[in-house]
Amino acid sequence: MASDQVLLADGEARDTADEITVQTGQNLRRIRTRRGYSLDRLAKIAGVSRAMLGQIETGKSSPTLSILSKIALALGIPCAALIAERGETPIIAVPRAKSKILASSEGRFQTRALFPFEGERKVEFYELRIAPHHTENADAHQHGTVENLVVAQGTVEIIAGKQPLHILGEGDAIVFDADVPHVYRNMTGTEAILYLVTTYLEDVRV
């Protein structure tokens, strides 16, 4: 079983027939075809097999966080656009119990979206939870992406590209260019909680 999963707020793994899997497949096919990409071309750019892309589009496979990131980077969109729900109303509550959580490293790193997943947005807001002493390596996001983090609980080390590392305590914040590989490391023996605002350079057009 892949280590990255789309989870419900209560931590239960969604199966391959759930609404997120189906929605992701529909969004991927719609965005890919509007870009004029064949499955073969997207597979080559994203580094994801054509077979896997086909399974995602038909709702037969639930993509991991790592695969979602690779596809989003290749298409020049945020991951949220691939999980977007269409037809949202202007004012939307996001109850914790219905939150969408992306987990990696066998659940040791969790990202909870604090915004509705409509397709077009330049800014995203997340809650991050990092298990004790866990180090999470993140791939570079699309060009121009900026991350603004604030630590709500714990002590966290942040490394972005070749820049010097930064150690943040509770209440400390950092802003950095996230279009380079970056690292989050929980330096404590308890769970770390951070809040993340991600800003994209260009409008997301899907």
Side-chain angles (χ1 to χ4, degrees):
M1 179 180 292
S3 61
D4 300 345
Q5 297 175 311
V6 178
L7 302 180
L8 288 170
D10 62 7
E12 294 179 0
R14 293 180 180 267
D15 61 34
T16 57
D18 72 11
E19 60 184 33
I20 293 180
T21 300
V22 173
Q23 186 68 60
T24 300
Q26 293 173 346
N27 287 339
L28 174 56
R29 180 174 177 78
R30 174 169 52 84
I31 297 169
R32 175 181 63 79
T33 55
R34 286 188 180 183
R35 291 286 193 276
Y37 288 2
S38 66
L39 283 172
D40 287 331
R41 182 182 179 189
L42 180 57
K44 183 176 181 180
I45 297 173
V48 178
S49 72
R50 184 186 189 283
M52 174 58 70
L53 291 174
Q55 290 177 352
I56 294 171
E57 287 195 358
T58 56
K60 295 178 180 178
S61 179
S62 179
T64 67
L65 178 59
S66 176
I67 290 176
L68 275 179
S69 297
K70 289 179 180 180
I71 295 171
L73 183 63
L75 292 171
I77 58 174
C79 285
L82 290 171
I83 316 175
E85 295 179 5
R86 307 185 72 185
E88 299 283 5
T89 57
I91 299 176
I92 305 165
V94 185
R96 183 181 183 88
K98 295 184 179 179
S99 296
K100 293 171 183 173
I101 298 175
L102 296 177
S104 61
S105 303
E106 298 182 346
R108 292 191 294 273
F109 183 82
Q110 294 190 1
T111 304
R112 178 168 70 99
L114 301 176
F115 60 93
F117 276 85
E118 75 271 15
E120 294 189 19
R121 73 171 45 249
K122 294 172 64 176
V123 178
E124 298 173 353
F125 184 30
Y126 296 94
E127 176 189 77
L128 309 183
R129 291 179 177 265
I130 310 175
H133 301 298
H134 175 64
T135 298
E136 184 71 13
N137 296 289
D139 293 331
H141 299 307
Q142 66 192 74
H143 176 70
T145 301
V146 174
E147 290 194 3
N148 188 173
L149 281 163
V150 61
V151 178
Q153 175 179 300
T155 302
V156 179
E157 179 183 274
I158 302 294
I159 303 175
K162 297 181 180 179
Q163 298 298 316
L165 66 86
H166 293 269
I167 297 176
L168 308 178
E170 292 182 13
D172 292 339
I174 189 172
V175 180
F176 62 92
D177 292 333
D179 52 6
V180 294
H182 44 288
V183 178
Y184 316 91
R185 183 168 75 88
N186 182 356
M187 302 178 67
T188 68
T190 58
E191 182 180 59
I193 301 175
L194 303 85
Y195 291 95
L196 164 65
V197 175
T198 303
T199 306
Y200 298 94
L201 181 63
E202 300 177 351
D203 288 329
V204 179
R205 301 190 182 279
V206 298

